[in-house]
Amino acid sequence: MREYLLYSNGEFTESASKRTFESINPFNQEVVARVARAGIEDAQRAIGAARIAFDKGLWPSMSREERSALLKSVSDKINDQKADLEQLEVEDSGGTIRKVKEDLYLSARAMSYFSKLAVMELKEPIDGLSKPGFSQNFLVREPVGVVAAIIPWNFPLKMAIWKLGPALAAGNTVVLKPSELTPMTAMELAKIVHAVGFPPGVVNIIPGFGDDVGEELAKNPMVDKVSFTGSTAVGKRVMSLASESLKKCTLECGGKSANIVLDDADLDIAVDGALYAIFYHQGQCCEAGTRLFLPEKLHDDFLSRIVEKTKKMRLGDPKAVTTDLGPVISAKQRDRVVGYIKSGIEQGAKLVVGGSAPRTPDLKNGFFIEPTIFTNVENTMKIAQEEIFGPVLSVIKYKTVEEAIQKANDTVYGLGGGVWSKDNEKAMAVARQLRAGTVWINEWHLISEKAPFGGYKQSGIGREFGIEGLREYTETKHLHIDEVGTREKKFWYDTVIPKE
Ligand code: NAD
C-alpha cells in the first residue's frame, strides 16, 4: 500500500485536518493507497499559492522555452517511470493493462505535444484593421491566471495531463483535484513535477472529494478559470458556483453517443468497431458508442455477430494481458449499472447477452458486470437516453437514414458519434448532421491531443486539445499601436475636447 500527501506550494504535506482516505482496487477491494484528504482550508492554501505564483510571475514571466523544457521533462519522466505508473493505474482504476499501457504512452505523448505548444507566441496581427500611418493592431492571448482543474476517474493520469498540459503551456498556474476514486497516478505526477523543478505554487495537486474541495475550487474568487471534466449534473453545479465570481468555465461532461451503421458498411470492421465503441474500458468512456443504430436490412446478421463476439469476451484480473474487460470502478457504479439493466427489462427492451454480475468465484471480490446488449430498444427508454457509464449497449433498429439521424440527435447530449459505410461521401453527409463534437467515420475512440474535443448541448462547454484547446486557457487582448502620431490628424478627439 502506498501513502500520499497533498502537493501544495512546492511541498508535500498532510491535510490541515490530518484526515486521510483510502483508495480501493476495484478488482479485489484491497486498499492500495492511504491519501491525505484535502479540505476547504487546503484548497484555499493551494489556490493562494497558485495566485502568488501567477501574480509574482514565477511562471508567466519565465521564458516560453524554459516553460516548454519543464513540460518536456515531465513527459520524459512519465516515460521513464511508465512500468510503475502502469501498475498503479491498473490497481487504482481497474483499467486493463492493455488499456493502461496505451494511456501511459498517450499521456507522455500529450505532454510532449503541450511542451511544443508552450513555445508558440500567441500574438497575431488583426488583418483588415491595421493600416500604415493609422495603426497597428494585434490579437494577443495571455494566460487567464489561476486555473482550478477537476477530473474524473476513468482516465486518471491522462486526464491530469490533459488539464495541466495546456493550462501550463498557456502560462497559467494550476490547482488540480483528482477523483477521490483514483488519486494515485496524479500524486505520482506531483512527485514528477516537484523533481523536475517547477517553481513552488505553479502546480498544486490536492486529492479530495467534490462536495468540499471541488466546490471550493469552483467558487473561490481567487480562481480565474475552472476546467472541469465529469458528469453533466456536477458540471451544472460547478458552473453555477463559478458564476458567483463570473469565472470562465470549460466543461467536459457526459454523453450518449450514437453509432450509425449504414447498409453498405463493411461488416468485418463495423462489428468489431461497434464492440470497441461500447466495451472499451467497460463502457466507462464519456464518448462511448452506447446507442447502436442498425438498418433493418443488416440488423439480424449484425446482431448475431456482435452477440457471438461478446460471449467470447473475457472478464478477469485487469493485470492479465488476456483480460478484455476488468471491473467497473466501484460498488456504487456497479449497482447503478445494474439498476439501468433492470430498467431496460422493465421498459420492454430485450436482453440478448450479459445482464448481471459474473458468478465466477475468482471475480467475486471485484465490481464486475458482464458485457450486456439490449435489442428492441426505443430511443425514449432510459437505457437510450441516460448515461449508464458501464458495459451496456442499446441496439435500435431503423428504417431510413433520416430516422436514424433524427433519433441520434434526440438526446440532451452531443459528445461523440460514428458512421460506418464504404462510401465516405455518404458517411460524411450523415456525420455533418450529427449534433456532436467528434464524429468518427469507420472508427471510434481515436481522440488526439491535436484535435479539438468537447461537446454540443449538455455534453459541455468549450473544447480541449489543439490550438483551440490552448485558447480556452487564455484571455484575449486587443493591442492597438497608434501610427497617426500627430494631434491635428486625430479628429475624433474633437468629439469631446474643445478646440483651442
Ligand atoms: P463526477 O461528476 O461525479 O465527478 C467528477 C469530478 O468532480 C470528481 O473529481 C469529483 O470529486 C468532482 N465533484 C463531484 N461533486 C462535485 C461538486 N459538487 N463540486 C465540484 N466538484 C465535484 O464524474 P465521475 O463519476 O468522476 O466521472 C464520470 C463522468 O465523467 C461521466 O459522466 C463521463 O461522461 C464524464 N466524463 C466526461 C469526459 C469528457 O471529456 N467529456 C471525459 C471523461 C469523463
Side-chain angles (χ1 to χ4, degrees), residues 260-262 293-296 396-401 403-404:
I260 303 179
V261 177
L262 300 185
F293 287 87
L294 295 178
E296 280 182 330
I396 301 171
K397 200 194 280 188
Y398 73 84
K399 283 192 171 66
T400 65
V401 176
E403 178 200 346

Side-chain angles (χ1 to χ4, degrees), residues 150-153 177 180 214-215 229-231 252-254 286 387 389:
I150 302 174
I151 56 173
W153 43 261
K177 188 194 91 58
E180 59 275 22
E215 298 230 343
T229 301
S231 60
E252 299 291 341
C253 299
C286 50
E387 188 181 43
F389 227 57

Side-chain angles (χ1 to χ4, degrees), residues 146-462:
V146 173
V147 171
I150 302 174
I151 56 173
W153 43 261
N154 56 344
F155 292 86
L157 181 66
K158 210 154 80 164
M159 226 26 106
I161 298 292
W162 285 352
K163 296 294 183 203
L164 287 183
L168 294 169
N172 302 281
T173 58
V174 187
V175 181
L176 171 78
K177 188 194 91 58
S179 167
E180 59 275 22
L181 296 171
T182 53
M184 289 173 89
T185 48
M187 296 326 295
E188 293 294 332
L189 185 60
K191 292 184 196 165
I192 291 177
V193 162
H194 189 71
V196 302
F198 274 75
V202 172
V203 177
N204 308 273
I205 305 186
I206 53 169
F209 288 64
D211 51 3
D212 47 12
V213 177
E215 298 230 343
E216 183 61 27
L217 291 176
K219 72 175 177 221
N220 190 301
M222 286 200 295
V223 170
D224 299 295
K225 177 192 163 97
V226 187
S227 180
F228 169 82
T229 301
S231 60
T232 295
V234 175
K236 288 177 186 177
R237 172 78 182 145
V238 164
M239 193 173 173
S240 90
L241 292 169
S243 73
E244 286 173 27
S245 53
L246 214 65
K247 57 175 68 86
K248 299 187 181 317
C249 288
T250 308
L251 304 175
E252 299 291 341
C253 299
K256 195 74 196 174
S257 302
N259 191 2
I260 303 179
V261 177
L262 300 185
D263 56 13
D264 68 340
D266 176 342
L267 293 204
D268 287 339
I269 311 178
V271 163
D272 282 8
L275 293 173
Y276 175 58
I278 178 63
F279 294 135
Y280 173 64
H281 197 29
Q282 294 80 258
Q284 302 171 117
C285 296
C286 50
E287 32 64 85
T290 48
R291 291 179 299 151
L292 177 63
F293 287 87
L294 295 178
E296 280 182 330
K297 186 178 134 189
L298 297 182
H299 181 274
D300 294 354
D301 182 23
F302 203 104
L303 188 66
S304 68
R305 291 200 205 194
I306 54 172
V307 168
E308 197 187 318
K309 289 204 170 196
T310 299
K311 283 181 182 158
K312 290 187 186 142
M313 287 183 167
R314 297 155 298 182
L315 278 72
D317 182 346
K319 280 192 173 164
V321 285
T322 47
T323 294
D324 302 316
L325 270 78
V328 297
I329 188 69
S330 62
K332 188 173 159 208
Q333 187 64 14
R334 179 197 54 203
D335 297 346
R336 200 170 159 265
V337 176
V338 168
Y340 274 110
I341 294 172
K342 280 193 188 135
S343 96
I345 296 167
E346 281 160 15
Q347 291 194 308
K350 186 175 167 202
L351 180 69
V352 286
V353 62
S356 48
R359 285 176 192 87
T360 335
D362 39 324
L363 302 184
K364 71 177 189 314
N365 291 328
F367 308 127
F368 283 92
I369 314 240
E370 292 167 342
T372 298
I373 300 179
F374 278 105
T375 58
N376 291 8
V377 176
E378 295 295 332
N379 200 43
T380 48
M381 290 176 181
K382 267 173 80 169
I383 55 167
Q385 285 295 320
E386 296 181 17
E387 188 181 43
I388 300 174
F389 227 57
V392 181
L393 176 66
S394 297
V395 179
I396 301 171
K397 200 194 280 188
Y398 73 84
K399 283 192 171 66
T400 65
V401 176
E402 292 69 32
E403 178 200 346
I405 294 168
Q406 183 272 323
K407 287 183 174 163
N409 287 331
D410 188 9
T411 156
V412 295
Y413 296 111
L415 193 57
V419 186
W420 300 81
S421 166
K422 287 189 191 127
D423 181 340
N424 278 350
E425 290 291 310
K426 205 161 107 183
M428 187 88 91
V430 175
R432 291 298 302 265
Q433 292 178 73
L434 294 181
R435 305 265 304 142
T438 300
V439 180
W440 292 278
I441 293 175
N442 299 324
E443 195 42 275
W444 209 280
H445 287 308
L446 293 195
I447 294 170
S448 164
E449 63 277 0
K450 294 182 184 150
F453 180 76
Y456 284 31
K457 301 191 271 182
Q458 292 188 31
S459 285
I461 296 180

Side-chain angles (χ1 to χ4, degrees), residues 16-69:
S17 67
K18 308 265 189 291
R19 288 172 79 192
T20 58
F21 66 98
E22 290 174 343
S23 193
I24 306 284
N25 182 339
F27 170 61
N28 52 23
Q29 300 190 48
E30 279 173 13
V31 176
V32 284
R34 179 160 297 117
V35 188
R37 178 176 171 170
I40 292 174
E41 204 182 312
D42 303 295
Q44 289 168 345
R45 186 168 166 264
I47 293 165
R51 189 74 263 166
I52 291 170
F54 185 80
D55 292 343
K56 285 199 169 163
L58 294 183
W59 184 249
S61 64
M62 212 182 241
S63 78
R64 293 198 297 273
E65 289 68 25
E66 282 173 306
R67 292 204 303 245
S68 170

